[in-house]
Amino acid sequence: MALGVAAVLAGGGIAALNTAGSPASPGTSRPAQPAQPAAAIASHTGPLTSEEARKASRIAVGDATGQDPSPRGKGDRSKGDRSGEGGKERNATGGSGAEVLDTHRPLRDKSAPAAPDSEAEVQLYDYASDALITRLVDLRSRKVIRSDRRRGVQPPPTLAEVRQAVKIILDDRRLGPRMRDSYASETKKTLASPSQLLVQGMAFLHSRARGLSGAQKVSRCGVHRCVQLFVRIPGGKWIDTSRIVIDLSARRAAVIGL
């Protein structure tokens, strides 16, 4: 069963490959939306501006002053929503506040009443409870209108998450040195940061490892947030990470399929 880049890791670790082509781009910037008839859905305004997206994210996560982003007042459907450990949501690095995955205008059925221009929808991942959260926020009042939480749903990872996955590999005592060696042999430089690499990622579910050696190492993937990476040295070769699965929730990497 092929996983990711079609090459086997040298020595069970990582090898730089001379490849003219590239793996199929998995797409990392925006989680897939449920398929719906185009005629039935209409966005009530244009896309969010960069400033609106940042503001919506701050409201949904809760700012550094400790603001509780939970909804207030009539129409609150998220009682018990903040179910992370101790009621505190966490991002991919373990910091306070859920990881922002996407911000956009809420999609509306054409038959529904027009929505205020100030509404935005924010999708987040809470690493404390391994839950995907969708929050509808009002940019004018700076409040969360509605919040829904689901488990076992894994949208594509963001750039921040795939860079965190690279960091986990670099911190691994077995895999880290091999990735650094691959980079050094190609560039004659030291690999010190994930930002030195071109990285894409895709969500990984445990079902993809069925029948492979080491499958038990990734049995929690799907409940946990796990990713598989496509890594390239800028202007150079691909670094083969096709057999590596990074469990962002547990903050560890596993090699499977050897």
Side-chain angles (χ1 to χ4, degrees):
M1 177 178 179
L3 292 176
V5 183
V8 178
L9 295 174
I14 301 173
L17 305 178
N18 261 318
T19 57
S22 65
S25 174
T28 61
S29 60
R30 185 178 293 269
Q33 298 294 328
Q36 301 187 52
I41 297 297
S43 181
H44 62 277
T45 63
L48 291 170
T49 65
S50 297
E51 178 55 34
E52 286 175 323
R54 285 191 293 269
K55 185 176 181 180
S57 297
R58 288 195 297 268
I59 296 168
V61 172
D63 64 23
T65 64
Q67 173 188 336
D68 183 356
S70 297
R72 295 287 186 268
K74 186 177 180 181
D76 178 4
R77 299 197 299 171
S78 67
K79 188 175 181 180
D81 169 72
R82 293 171 63 78
S83 55
E85 183 180 350
K88 295 185 181 297
E89 295 167 353
R90 298 291 177 185
N91 59 32
T93 65
S96 180
E99 185 79 26
V100 176
L101 304 183
D102 184 42
T103 56
H104 54 266
R105 299 284 185 193
L107 296 177
R108 303 280 177 173
D109 189 296
K110 285 186 175 179
S111 63
D117 292 346
S118 60
E119 288 187 0
E121 193 169 80
V122 184
Q123 197 169 53
L124 314 99
Y125 195 85
D126 175 24
Y127 280 86
S129 60
D130 275 304
L132 179 69
I133 305 167
T134 302
R135 287 186 173 135
L136 183 66
V137 306
D138 186 274
L139 298 174
R140 290 197 183 98
S141 66
R142 296 176 179 269
K143 291 183 178 179
V144 175
I145 301 169
R146 183 176 67 249
S147 184
D148 299 301
R149 178 182 293 263
R150 292 184 293 165
R151 291 182 174 84
V153 182
Q154 298 294 343
T158 64
L159 177 60
E161 288 178 306
V162 297
R163 285 183 170 174
Q164 177 64 15
V166 172
K167 187 176 185 301
I168 290 171
I169 293 176
L170 292 175
D171 288 343
D172 186 277
R173 61 184 178 81
R174 182 166 61 104
L175 300 175
R178 289 172 178 160
M179 178 173 272
R180 289 188 177 90
D181 288 347
S182 294
Y183 185 87
S185 65
E186 176 72 8
T187 66
K188 311 306 179 188
K189 297 178 181 178
T190 300
L191 176 58
S193 168
S195 62
Q196 294 172 254
L197 299 167
L198 300 175
V199 190
Q200 291 181 300
M202 60 188 292
F204 184 93
L205 305 180
H206 67 90
S207 58
R208 295 190 62 222
R210 190 174 293 127
L212 296 178
S213 62
Q216 72 280 0
K217 300 175 186 177
V218 295
S219 61
R220 295 287 290 166
C221 292
V223 176
H224 282 189
R225 183 108 167 112
C226 298
V227 299
Q228 192 174 23
L229 301 179
F230 303 92
V231 183
R232 189 173 186 177
I233 298 169
K237 302 173 182 178
W238 294 94
I239 295 178
D240 182 18
T241 56
S242 61
R243 307 288 180 178
I244 299 175
V245 176
I246 303 92
D247 185 332
L248 290 170
S249 299
R251 299 180 202 174
R252 62 171 178 257
V255 179
I256 62 173
L258 293 178

